[in-house]
Amino acid sequence: MKAVILSAGEGTRMRPLTLTKPKTMLPVAGKPIIQYNIEALRDSGITDILLIVNYKEEFVKDYFKDGSEFGVTISYTTQKKLSGTANAIGYAEKFVEDNDFIVLNGDIILDNELIKEIITEYKQYTPDTIMVLTEVEDPSPFGVVEIKDKIIKSIIEKPKKEEAPSNLINTGIYVFNKDIFKKIAKTEKSRRGEYEITDSLSMQIADKKIIQGYITDKKWLDVGRPWELIEINEHLIKEIKQNIKGTVEKGATIHGNIFLDEGSVIKSGVYIEGSVYIGKNCNIGPNCYIRGNSYFGDNVHIGNAVEIKNSLVMENTNINHLSYVGDSIIGSKCNLGAGTNMANLRFDDGSVKIRVKGENTDSGRRKLGAILGDNVKTGINSSFSPGVTVGFNCLIGPEVFLSEDLPSNKMVLV
Ligand code: TTP
């Protein structure tokens, strides 16, 4: 069986992080999101993979090349216009030829076993389509199915919670045969102005094709918005095994598993609590406090008296002195001045709100700090309100208290 991964989207809900790279290339626990999917396919015996790309596709191509380094063969097709998932899958027709094939959204993280399970299920029942489903408490932001005896009777996109026919949602994992291309060719634009694969599936249902729902309670995480990147990172870093390739100086204290890559040094006086991932050529310390589930990309420097908690710090970023970064994401090539502090808890103890596509959105998290795009410089004693976002190439002057989002390429002074 061949596989197709959808990786063309702009990831607008994940801004500012996706202003400079595609969402599927954002790092979690040491790898881009999409690499988890490629490896899950490979480990299930699927090595012929087509990536549908468009937005900032050079990042994907430069990293994976022909796939040989990852034990697979990767080819690429550019979706000309980002006009929806059905349109994206339609580009795979030549690649899959007459074969049945798997499709995955590139922005999910799933349990490797799940792919093996659905292949077995597909071979046993030979339906026209398998759609993997999972149960959630609130299905209203997703595609929700009505299902009877394993067969999907209807799919409703983003229903009101009280109108949802079940709590079972579409995970973006499918097995198709070539009938889907006939339906894609006839699919019309939805109310959102996109050609959506769920509309093609509804056409299959109307045409009496068998769409089997495969319900899983295995790991499945959808990465759409910035705090979901923090949550997925938490989840995956908790699973890392101890692996120290770099140097740990005498006088450093480590509790929990750490992954410390080549060329990195943990200096004396550093106190690490919980699992932590540290990339290549990082300098951590002396005398700093690194708390659980933190991720550091390559060439990161964390200096004296800095506390980092449950955060992602991307490559080539420096946080040199006297700073606090909690439940936050710091992009690549940032430099935080001495005394930069990110608040991650509201005084009223309520859940932190964050603007997603201009809408004030409840993250559901009691603790959420700031989200900084790439190449942001902060001056001494600057501070950030919980849930604030900063675009790329920004300068935040000394003593600034940032309580509102800042678009890219801006400077703020007191
Ligand atoms: P979405 O989550 O609908 O879109 P997105 O990833 O661009 O994010 P946002 O809504 O924040 O803008 O897409 C689901 C998957 O399908 C995702 O892996 C991207 C991919 N996709 C394409 O490949 N082509 C497309 O035209 C669209 C809309 C999505």
Side-chain angles (χ1 to χ4, degrees):
M1 206 179 265
K2 294 183 176 186
V4 178
I5 305 183
L6 307 185
S7 183
E10 241 183 303
T12 49
R13 290 164 301 149
M14 189 59 88
R15 287 177 185 166
L17 303 170
T18 44
L19 291 170
T20 42
K21 33 180 115 70
K23 180 169 64 178
T24 56
M25 290 303 289
L26 291 173
V28 265
K31 289 179 210 172
I33 295 169
I34 195 172
Q35 190 175 337
Y36 289 91
N37 291 327
I38 290 172
E39 291 176 356
L41 289 165
R42 179 199 63 200
D43 296 347
S44 311
I46 296 179
T47 55
D48 204 353
I49 301 171
L50 175 70
L51 301 188
I52 308 290
V53 290
N54 170 309
Y55 181 69
K56 303 207 180 286
E57 62 187 60
E58 61 285 0
F59 281 85
V60 188
K61 291 178 173 172
D62 288 351
Y63 185 87
F64 290 106
K65 303 193 171 69
D66 64 0
S68 50
E69 211 186 296
F70 302 87
V72 292
T73 304
I74 295 182
S75 41
Y76 302 89
T77 296
T78 302
Q79 183 184 6
K80 289 202 177 64
K81 200 166 163 251
L82 294 173
S83 50
T85 45
N87 176 263
I89 296 169
Y91 280 83
E93 191 163 5
K94 263 202 195 128
F95 166 77
V96 298
E97 298 168 323
D98 278 345
N99 299 303
D100 305 333
F101 62 106
I102 287 193
V103 172
L104 303 179
N105 283 355
D107 55 357
I108 54 174
I109 300 269
L110 48 83
D111 188 304
N112 285 12
E113 289 302 307
L114 187 52
I115 301 207
K116 288 184 198 149
E117 284 177 15
I118 55 168
I119 295 172
T120 309
E121 185 87 356
Y122 188 75
K123 286 187 177 153
Q124 186 178 347
Y125 295 100
T126 59
D128 293 287
T129 291
I130 284 196
M131 182 195 245
V132 179
L133 309 170
T134 197
E135 192 167 354
V136 293
E137 206 180 298
D138 175 12
S140 57
F142 300 97
V144 187
V145 302
E146 180 193 349
I147 186 167
K148 194 163 176 250
D149 301 331
K150 284 190 166 191
I151 304 301
I152 294 177
K153 302 290 175 194
S154 67
I155 308 165
I156 301 159
E157 277 301 327
K158 300 184 178 60
K160 287 191 184 129
K161 197 174 175 186
E162 56 284 6
E163 287 169 12
S166 72
N167 281 21
L168 294 170
I169 60 152
N170 176 10
T171 61
I173 307 169
Y174 314 91
V175 188
F176 292 120
N177 63 29
K178 63 179 192 174
D179 175 71
I180 197 67
F181 294 115
K182 289 189 202 151
K183 303 297 181 287
I184 287 173
K186 290 187 203 152
T187 301
E188 291 183 0
K189 270 193 183 163
S190 67
R191 267 185 292 133
R192 291 200 301 175
E194 288 186 5
Y195 299 98
E196 309 206 27
I197 194 62
T198 43
D199 287 340
S200 316
L201 291 166
S202 296
M203 290 167 83
Q204 283 197 314
I205 296 169
D207 199 18
K208 307 258 179 307
K209 299 285 177 196
I210 305 292
I211 306 191
Q212 189 173 324
Y214 184 80
I215 302 169
T216 184
D217 57 5
K218 289 216 154 63
K219 179 173 71 194
W220 172 82
L221 299 153
D222 175 42
V223 199
R225 299 162 298 182
W227 67 90
E228 286 161 352
L229 195 68
I230 295 178
E231 283 165 5
I232 210 159
N233 188 64
E234 275 168 26
H235 192 92
L236 292 171
I237 286 198
K238 279 199 182 107
E239 292 176 1
I240 62 171
K241 305 231 159 41
Q242 182 92 340
N243 187 350
I244 298 182
K245 299 183 189 171
T247 309
V248 179
E249 282 184 7
K250 252 197 189 150
T253 306
I254 297 173
H255 296 292
N257 288 338
I258 61 162
F259 179 93
L260 182 68
D261 213 339
E262 287 158 13
S264 288
V265 186
I266 296 178
K267 295 188 174 165
S268 189
V270 173
Y271 193 96
I272 297 186
E273 207 174 50
S275 299
V276 167
Y277 182 100
I278 301 168
K280 291 193 175 68
N281 303 318
C282 294
N283 259 310
I284 310 293
N287 304 321
C288 57
Y289 180 28
I290 311 291
R291 295 167 60 189
N293 312 324
S294 293
Y295 162 81
F296 302 93
D298 296 343
N299 306 310
V300 163
H301 183 209
I302 305 297
N304 180 55
V306 173
E307 177 175 342
I308 311 275
K309 182 222 154 194
N310 198 31
S311 296
L312 291 96
V313 180
M314 297 190 194
E315 71 277 5
N316 301 308
T317 281
N318 297 321
I319 310 176
N320 285 332
H321 340 259
L322 302 161
S323 294
Y324 175 66
V325 174
D327 302 280
S328 297
I329 305 178
I330 315 295
S332 311
K333 295 189 198 149
C334 292
N335 194 80
L336 307 194
T340 299
N341 284 307
M342 286 164 188
N344 60 342
L345 179 68
R346 291 164 54 111
F347 271 156
D348 64 5
D349 227 15
S351 56
V352 176
K353 314 286 182 298
I354 176 168
R355 289 187 87 76
V356 175
K357 291 181 90 168
E359 297 264 324
N360 219 16
T361 308
D362 188 347
S363 69
R365 286 180 70 91
R366 204 176 136 253
K367 300 261 181 90
L368 179 64
I371 313 294
L372 270 50
D374 293 345
N375 204 24
V376 173
K377 313 263 185 279
T378 67
I380 56 163
N381 297 331
S382 52
S383 358
F384 296 77
S385 274
V388 149
T389 68
V390 177
F392 63 89
N393 288 339
C394 286
L395 290 175
I396 294 160
E399 305 282 349
V400 167
F401 172 63
L402 200 70
S403 58
E404 281 180 14
D405 294 351
L406 188 67
S408 301
N409 300 308
K410 295 278 180 213
M411 178 163 75
V412 212
L413 298 172
V414 180

